[in-house]
Amino acid sequence: MKAYLASHFFNDAFFRWTEDFAQYLEENTDLELYVPQRNDRINDKKNNDDQITDIAIAKADTEALKESNILIACIDGLTIDDGVAGEIMGHAIMKEMEEEYNIPGIPRTIIGIITDMRWLGTGENKLYRNQMILGKIKEQGHFVVGYAGKEDWKEEVLEIIEEFTKKHGN
């Protein structure tokens, strides 16, 4: 079973969060995990910037997304990262097209994760997220709410992965 870990990873804090969570998933599941930040061909801006193109990035990440049964998407940040939003919509549309047009595909689901404490706020303390992106996550998978500094949300993600893989044969 293949999975794709989508996150904003272009600064040190999110890079570390993404790598830590990727290692956690690899240690606790049998998923074959694609983590875009590990793909130096398209993300080593320090050493390969002159060779990295938008088309190369799009092709590499899209190929991995097409092969992925599970999209695990972090929607933390000031807003949902543009790339993550695109990955969510791309994965969702693939699933819908495969089902609508009876195209043989692979089982697919989305796990959206938010750990920003403001999500649990009310009124002026409430964190907004794009409703179309949230709708696609909830329509086609699971929305996991964590809290900054806590890690119980990771167990919930593992349970969802286990349930999905049991249901779909891996």
Side-chain angles (χ1 to χ4, degrees):
M1 188 86 33
K2 294 185 178 184
Y4 185 115
L5 178 56
S7 71
H8 167 79
F9 59 84
F10 296 103
N11 62 51
D12 188 57
F14 268 105
F15 188 94
R16 290 174 191 264
W17 181 94
T18 303
E19 185 58 31
D20 176 66
F21 188 46
Q23 288 177 16
Y24 176 83
L25 290 169
E26 289 166 335
E27 291 167 4
N28 292 284
T29 72
D30 292 326
L31 294 174
E32 183 180 326
L33 188 64
Y34 178 76
V35 186
Q37 76 184 35
R38 293 177 177 171
N39 187 345
D40 287 342
R41 253 188 15 215
I42 60 169
N43 283 313
D44 184 358
K45 297 348 181 220
K46 186 176 180 183
N47 297 307
N48 295 335
D49 192 55
D50 60 330
Q51 300 168 17
I52 298 170
T53 66
D54 50 2
I55 293 172
I57 293 167
K59 284 183 175 182
D61 287 350
T62 300
E63 186 59 35
L65 197 61
K66 288 192 292 189
E67 296 174 353
S68 295
N69 305 93
I70 304 171
L71 173 64
I72 303 164
C74 176
I75 63 168
D76 279 332
L78 182 59
T79 62
I80 299 172
D81 177 76
D82 295 347
V84 173
E87 289 155 338
I88 291 167
M89 290 304 295
H91 199 265
I93 295 299
M94 281 187 278
K95 178 180 179 180
E96 291 173 9
M97 296 290 287
E98 290 164 355
E99 291 173 354
E100 186 174 335
Y101 294 102
N102 295 316
I103 299 168
I106 60 175
R108 297 182 189 275
T109 194
I110 299 172
I111 304 170
I113 302 164
I114 191 162
T115 65
D116 192 311
M117 66 181 70
R118 296 170 295 180
W119 179 257
L120 299 172
T122 59
E124 292 179 5
N125 293 314
K126 180 72 172 174
L127 181 69
Y128 174 79
R129 285 291 175 254
N130 181 285
Q131 298 296 290
M132 184 172 189
I133 301 300
L134 285 179
K136 284 299 177 194
I137 292 168
K138 292 175 180 178
E139 175 187 54
Q140 295 195 12
H142 305 271
F143 186 59
V144 176
V145 178
Y147 194 82
K150 305 290 183 191
E151 295 197 353
D152 52 341
W153 60 271
K154 289 181 177 181
E155 292 294 323
E156 185 176 349
V157 170
L158 289 182
E159 290 171 12
I160 293 166
I161 292 168
E162 183 178 332
E163 178 182 309
F164 182 80
T165 55
K166 277 184 181 176
K167 180 177 180 182
H168 297 286
N170 285 347

